[in-house]
Amino acid sequence: ESGQGRPVVAVWLGQPPDSPRARTLRVLGAHHGDEPASAEVALDAALTLAERDGSDPDITALLDESTVWIAPWINPDGVTEGSRYNASGVDLNRNYPWGWSSPCAGPTSPVSGSYKGPEPASEAETRAVMALSEDRHFARVIDLHSFGREVVHGFACDTHPFDDYLADE
């Protein structure tokens, strides 16, 4: 549930959530309420997987061996209000504990354009994502955004083991 009491909903497709053999994948949309296209992409992914299961061999294979969790609106308050931030004025994408103290984690000033919040995981929406993630131990994670024109890998300003491989040439 969000800070204003709206549901933060996730659906699963493929293998049952407690299947011991299934790989798990998480897709999140609308961390930023002013990026509704990210929610649309997440919803389209869910619809495509559901509609093509059994008729598209690649999708059928994916869902036969995986559980795919899709949460299209991580920030329902921001989406409703047309705001980048949640009801507390926090940039949810920067509110996670991972890398909280890193130089590029986000500012601590509430008047900043990307305020990370008063403390790690201070926001209900962040805790909802963390609870799902801790419960499911995702093997793959996709967080959708629609502001920039880039694919970012790794976390905050930390390096990723495949940085050289994934770099543009």
Side-chain angles (χ1 to χ4, degrees):
E1 176 167 292
S2 73
Q4 291 183 339
R6 293 183 176 94
V8 177
V9 178
V11 298
W12 63 268
L13 299 108
Q15 295 302 303
D18 294 325
S19 176
R21 66 179 184 88
R23 294 179 302 159
T24 55
L25 169 67
R26 182 191 82 191
V27 179
L28 303 178
H31 260 98
H32 299 124
D34 63 351
E35 296 181 6
S38 66
E40 293 294 330
V41 171
L43 288 169
D44 186 63
L47 184 61
T48 299
L49 291 173
E51 288 180 342
R52 296 186 184 172
D53 186 21
S55 63
D56 180 307
D58 292 329
I59 289 175
T60 302
L62 171 71
L63 295 178
D64 281 350
E65 62 188 38
S66 305
T67 305
V68 180
W69 286 87
I70 300 177
W73 295 285
I74 297 306
N75 184 358
D77 298 341
V79 171
T80 302
E81 303 298 324
S83 169
R84 180 168 191 78
Y85 313 107
N86 74 345
S88 302
V90 172
D91 182 340
L92 295 175
N93 197 51
R94 290 171 171 74
N95 189 241
Y96 294 94
W98 178 265
W100 179 263
S101 298
S102 69
C104 61
T108 56
S109 171
V111 297
S112 166
S114 52
Y115 174 50
K116 66 181 179 179
E119 61 187 46
S122 60
E123 306 308 302
E125 300 90 341
T126 305
R127 291 189 303 273
V129 171
M130 291 173 58
L132 177 64
S133 298
E134 289 167 8
D135 186 51
R136 297 294 157 195
H137 305 287
F138 294 104
R140 308 273 189 292
V141 174
I142 300 172
D143 290 342
L144 300 167
H145 294 268
S146 59
F147 181 74
R149 296 180 181 175
E150 59 190 345
V151 174
V152 179
H153 47 85
F155 301 96
C157 32
D158 293 339
T159 59
H160 187 277
F162 297 130
D163 276 342
D164 291 338
Y165 176 76
L166 297 170
D168 291 336
E169 293 187 23

